[in-house]
Amino acid sequence: MRKKIVAGNWKMNTSLAEGFSLAKEVIAGSSRVDQGVELVVIPPFTHLSEIVKLARGSRVRVGAQNCAQWPKGAYTGEVSASMLQSAGVEYVILGHSERREYFNETNRSLFEKLQLALQENLTPIFCCGEKLGEREAGQHFAVVEKQVAESLFGLETRQVQQVVIAYEPVWAIGTGKTATADQAQEMHAFIRGLLAGKYGSTLADSISILYGGSCKPSNAAELFAKPDVDGGLIGGASLVAADFIAIAGSF
Ligand code: PGA
């Protein structure tokens, strides 16, 4: 059975002290969440090693929001996959739509990042999803297929097995406009079908596909009830521990 995962993407929010308290509250609240659900907090880079130490011995895992597309060297301001690994980080978000939009991430550079993250035994949370105009033009399946094929399909089977996918329609991120549970299910099943076509259905059935985009306590249960929705990548609502825990308790 594939893993159920609820991951909180804090984005560029919280001071170190605020982040530390938030992580503490999540750890405290984690006892209210079914043991079968993996809980991941994804703070800014500056907070990672402190929060890794705090979370040690708890069930909460820690992730980063990005990593560099090069292993090391003269890339001022970048953080490598091996640095994250050395800090005790276990997950890394790759290809979030904000990074694609503001930092020119491409399907090709994400393929490089995926390989480096996997080499370091990090679990990538690979994000894909269409913009509003693309959905309105009926191109959403083609856009997601291109993202998945160009970034993932160069990976070997043993590598893809380690990847978590997050479907995040860009029009639903931070807008309060959630995809309906049926829209999410339709795209998740499509993505699983792409994986099955390339790697076989056993592998496709083992990959967790998370939904992201204005997921909150009031809509999580309906989304998570869908057969191909294996959890959520939560932005805004992950900044309030009680909301994050309520979402994780919605399976
Ligand atoms: P949101 O963000 O929950 O605030 O819409 C989700 C995400 O960007 O991962």
Side-chain angles (χ1 to χ4, degrees):
M1 261 317 283
R2 51 185 180 256
K3 233 184 224 176
K4 293 173 178 161
I5 303 171
V6 175
N9 173 13
W10 297 1
K11 309 192 180 182
M12 197 172 75
N13 293 297
T14 72
S15 66
L16 179 54
E18 289 163 348
F20 196 81
S21 311
L22 176 56
K24 236 179 178 165
E25 283 181 69
V26 170
I27 292 165
S30 64
S31 60
R32 299 202 296 276
V33 177
D34 187 282
Q35 283 297 332
V37 180
E38 176 109 312
L39 289 170
V40 189
V41 293
I42 309 183
F45 286 129
T46 43
H47 305 14
L48 287 172
S49 50
E50 284 296 319
I51 292 178
V52 164
K53 272 186 250 161
L54 177 71
R56 206 164 274 153
S58 84
R59 59 179 286 193
V60 174
R61 311 265 76 92
V62 181
Q65 297 175 16
N66 180 35
C67 73
Q69 75 184 94
W70 307 279
K72 64 184 281 190
Y75 300 102
T76 303
E78 291 289 290
V79 174
S80 71
S82 69
M83 291 170 188
L84 295 176
Q85 199 277 337
S86 72
V89 169
E90 294 179 70
Y91 282 82
V92 60
I93 297 176
L94 293 176
H96 190 280
S97 62
E98 287 149 18
R99 300 230 31 112
R100 292 177 186 265
E101 176 81 12
Y102 308 135
F103 303 97
N104 303 317
E105 291 201 345
T106 62
N107 294 339
R108 178 71 213 178
S109 67
L110 291 167
F111 173 64
E112 307 291 341
K113 291 185 181 202
L114 280 158
Q115 301 220 72
L116 291 165
L118 290 163
Q119 266 169 31
E120 298 298 336
N121 284 318
L122 300 171
T123 299
I125 301 177
F126 172 75
C127 301
C128 56
E130 80 286 357
K131 296 180 188 168
L132 181 60
E134 292 164 340
R135 178 162 280 263
E136 286 172 347
Q139 294 164 348
H140 43 298
F141 292 117
V143 167
V144 170
E145 177 167 3
K146 191 168 152 69
Q147 292 170 336
V148 169
E150 291 186 1
S151 295
L152 291 183
F153 284 2
L155 299 175
E156 292 167 27
T157 304
R158 64 174 173 85
Q159 293 178 300
V160 175
Q161 265 163 358
Q162 309 303 321
V163 175
V164 170
I165 296 178
Y167 168 58
E168 300 205 304
V170 180
W171 47 271
I173 296 178
T175 58
K177 207 173 165 210
T178 322
T180 65
D182 287 337
Q183 283 173 323
Q185 168 57 27
E186 183 184 37
M187 185 60 85
H188 285 222
F190 174 75
I191 294 168
R192 205 176 300 287
L194 294 175
L195 294 169
K198 174 75 183 171
Y199 296 101
S201 57
T202 307
L203 180 132
D205 284 341
S206 74
I207 302 283
S208 301
I209 307 179
L210 316 183
Y211 168 79
S214 300
C215 186
K216 40 190 183 257
S218 58
N219 58 29
E222 196 187 349
L223 288 158
F224 296 172
K226 293 293 178 185
D228 287 293
V229 179
D230 305 308
L233 181 55
I234 318 301
S238 72
L239 295 171
V240 177
D243 287 352
F244 184 65
I245 292 296
I247 290 169
S250 299
F251 282 99

